[in-house]
Amino acid sequence: MNTNDVKVIKKRLTSHEKIVIVSHRNPDGDAYGSSLSLYHYLRGLGQDVRVISPNDSPDFLKWLPNQADILIFEEHTSEATKTLQEATLIFTLDFNALNRVGTQMQAVLEGVSADFIMIDHHQQPDDYALITYSDPSKASTCEMIYHFIEKMGDLSKITVDIASCLYTGIVTDTGSFKYPSTSSSTHKAIAHLMDIGIDHTKIHNNLFDTNSYNRLQLLGIALKNLKIIPDCHTAYITISQRELNSHNFKKGDTEGFVNYGLSLKGIVFAVIFIEDQKQGIIKMSLRSKGMFSVNEFARTYFNGGGHDNAAGGRSEDSLKHTVSKFLDILPKHKKELQQSYEN
C-alpha cells in the first residue's frame, strides 16, 4: 500500500463512514481474524462498522472477541443485503475475487455504490477496488492488517482483542509458523502482539486442541481412504457425504486433514476431495512442498486458486469423476513433481 493510498484512507476515516467488512465463504482463522481485528480497530476510531460473512464459521473460531457480532449473509440475507447497500466503504479481506463470497452475495456486492478496499495476500487479484493492498509474499492477511494499522500510525491502538484476532490469523495461515511464507517480519509482528498481552497458549488450545470424538473418527475414515501415487510423489484423500454424515460432520471437522498426506515421506503434493451434496460440489484442498504450484494447478483444472503451496478448488462432477479427472491430469505434471521432490 503506497503513501497516496494511506492518505486517501486516512482522509476517509476522518469523516463518518458506514463501513462493512466482508470475509470469504467458508471462513478460516485468517478470514475471521483479519475481519474482527479490523472491526475492533475501526470501532476504536469511532466508525460505524459491521462484519458480514457469507456463511458461518467452524466452532473453533467461535471464541474470537465479538465473533457473535458477525452478520451471516445466508442466515440473515435481507438484513445483510440492506447493510451492504447502505455502506459507503467496504473492506474485502482475505480474498481478491468477488466470486469467493458465493453467487447470491456476489450479485449484491456488484450492485452496491460503496467504494471497495481490498486487503489480501492471494495471487492474481481482480480489479474491483478503489484501493488494492495486495501482497502475496505475506504469510497471512492478518499480518497485512498489522502493517495496515502500522501505516496508519496506530500501532499503539492495538488492544489485546485486536492482537488476539491478528495472532489467530497469522498462526493458522502460517501452519504455526512452518510454511515458507513465514518471515522475520512475521515473527517481529508476533513478538509485538505477545508484548501487548495475548494469551498465545489459550489461543492455540482454542484453535487446535478442540477435537471431538466424531472428528477423530472421521479422521480415521480419511486416513483409511488415503491413496498414494509414488511415481508422482502425490497423496490424496476422499471423503463422501455418506462418510461425513456417519460421523455427524460439523463445519471445520476436516480442517488440516490434507496435511496428513503431505507429511508422508516422498510426497510433495497432497489433495483432499470432500463431497458437499448441499452445494452440489466436490470441495478440494491442495497442498504442496517445494516449487510445485498448487495455485496454478487449481486455477487451471478445478476453478480455484490460492498460494503456491496451499490452494482450494471445486468440481461440479461426482466424487468418482472428479478423482478420475485428477488422476488423468496428474501424469502431465510428473516431471514438475519429480523436480519439486528432488529440490
Side-chain angles (χ1 to χ4, degrees), residues 48-101:
D48 177 1
V49 192
R50 297 293 303 272
V51 178
I52 298 180
S53 177
N55 59 349
D56 204 359
S57 72
D59 285 346
F60 64 80
L61 296 175
K62 300 291 189 184
W63 62 272
L64 283 163
N66 289 80
Q67 180 275 335
D69 292 348
I70 296 176
L71 185 61
I72 307 300
F73 183 88
E74 70 175 18
E75 296 176 7
H76 305 282
T77 305
S78 296
E79 181 184 356
T81 298
K82 184 173 183 290
T83 301
L84 287 166
Q85 291 172 340
E86 292 176 349
T88 58
L89 194 60
I90 297 176
F91 284 84
T92 60
L93 304 185
D94 201 37
F95 67 98
N96 59 19
L98 294 181
N99 61 14
R100 289 296 313 282
V101 301

Side-chain angles (χ1 to χ4, degrees), residues 38-52:
L38 185 62
Y39 169 76
H40 285 287
Y41 168 68
L42 294 174
R43 285 186 69 190
L45 299 181
Q47 292 292 339
D48 177 1
V49 192
R50 297 293 303 272
V51 178
I52 298 180

Side-chain angles (χ1 to χ4, degrees), residues 248-308:
N248 299 311
F249 170 75
K250 289 185 178 181
K251 184 186 291 292
D253 278 354
T254 58
E255 186 78 20
F257 282 12
V258 66
N259 294 321
Y260 284 91
L262 197 63
S263 71
L264 291 168
K265 184 177 180 180
I267 298 300
V268 298
F269 182 26
V271 185
I272 187 168
F273 302 87
I274 303 174
E275 187 175 23
D276 185 337
Q277 289 182 346
K278 182 179 179 181
Q279 294 189 65
I281 62 172
I282 306 302
K283 294 190 291 188
M284 301 168 58
S285 290
L286 305 90
R287 301 290 184 269
S288 68
K289 297 175 183 174
M291 299 301 294
F292 185 73
S293 174
V294 290
N295 171 56
E296 291 302 323
F297 189 92
R299 282 181 178 274
T300 303
Y301 303 113
F302 291 104
N303 304 303
H307 307 286
D308 285 337

Side-chain angles (χ1 to χ4, degrees), residues 211-231:
N211 278 319
S212 66
Y213 175 80
N214 281 320
R215 182 179 187 274
L216 291 181
Q217 292 295 302
L218 189 58
L219 174 59
I221 293 291
L223 295 178
K224 185 178 180 181
N225 293 348
L226 174 66
K227 300 288 191 298
I228 299 173
I229 306 169
D231 61 337

